Amino acid sequence: MNALDDLVRICPPPGRPPSAVDWTTTEDTLGTALPADYKRLVETYGEGVFDDTIWLTSPTCTC
């Protein structure tokens, strides 16, 4: 079990799947690789706010 599994157990992701992100294009545009754990978090939860405290944005963020 990892930290994301723990988070999912405590705070289930939204019922609707988040928008897909083209990570290859995003990383090519940024000129750097993004952390795998960030990508898994975005793929699990999508963009949004946890408890009005932590903002999770993604390359497709409309917030």
Side-chain angles (χ1 to χ4, degrees), residues 25-40:
T25 300
T26 299
E27 292 172 330
D28 287 347
T29 300
L30 293 173
T32 191
L34 295 169
D37 56 347
Y38 164 74
K39 292 190 272 188
R40 285 192 308 271

Side-chain angles (χ1 to χ4, degrees), residues 8-19:
V8 167
R9 186 174 39 78
I10 294 166
C11 180
R16 190 174 71 169
S19 300

Side-chain angles (χ1 to χ4, degrees):
M1 187 172 279
N2 61 38
L4 182 58
D5 293 332
D6 291 339
L7 181 60
V8 167
R9 186 174 39 78
I10 294 166
C11 180
R16 190 174 71 169
S19 300
V21 176
D22 181 347
W23 294 113
T24 302
T25 300
T26 299
E27 292 172 330
D28 287 347
T29 300
L30 293 173
T32 191
L34 295 169
D37 56 347
Y38 164 74
K39 292 190 272 188
R40 285 192 308 271
L41 187 63
V42 168
E43 290 167 351
T44 302
Y45 287 96
E47 59 196 47
V49 182
F50 285 90
D51 194 32
D52 292 323
T53 306
I54 300 171
W55 286 77
L56 176 61
T57 61
S58 72
T60 60
C61 187
T62 58
C63 47

